[in-house]
Amino acid sequence: QGNPEPSSDIDLLVELDNRLGLRFMDMADELEERLGRKVDILTEEGLRDIRIPHIKKTITETIEYVCPGAMIL
């Protein structure tokens, strides 16, 4: 959100075929290490569970799809 800076964190909405359990945190750590900055990850289920309407709307309206179907890990 806003203008990204070189030090900005990276916000990701991920689509998962299966629940990862604790491997979800491993994925976040791996992405932070590879990208060299903080990574916040939200799943589709997490997005559905957001109860503050304006936050949910902002996220939904600003999604940029990158590499659909790509598998990083």
Side-chain angles (χ1 to χ4, degrees), residues 17-32:
D17 291 332
N18 300 305
R19 292 180 180 260
L20 296 178
L22 293 176
R23 292 182 302 155
F24 187 83
M25 297 306 297
D26 293 337
M27 179 177 68
D29 291 342
E30 177 73 19
L31 287 168
E32 287 182 357

Side-chain angles (χ1 to χ4, degrees), residues 1-58:
Q1 184 176 354
N3 295 321
E5 301 289 330
S7 61
S8 296
D9 70 339
I10 298 172
D11 300 318
L12 299 173
L13 175 66
V14 297
E15 298 176 13
L16 304 171
D17 291 332
N18 300 305
R19 292 180 180 260
L20 296 178
L22 293 176
R23 292 182 302 155
F24 187 83
M25 297 306 297
D26 293 337
M27 179 177 68
D29 291 342
E30 177 73 19
L31 287 168
E32 287 182 357
E33 185 177 313
R34 288 184 185 202
L35 299 172
R37 54 175 86 176
K38 174 124 175 48
V39 174
D40 293 327
I41 301 176
L42 181 64
T43 62
E44 291 178 295
E45 181 179 348
L47 178 59
R48 282 192 302 272
D49 290 344
I50 293 175
R51 294 196 165 113
I52 303 171
H54 74 274
I55 291 177
K56 187 174 192 174
K57 182 179 183 218
T58 298

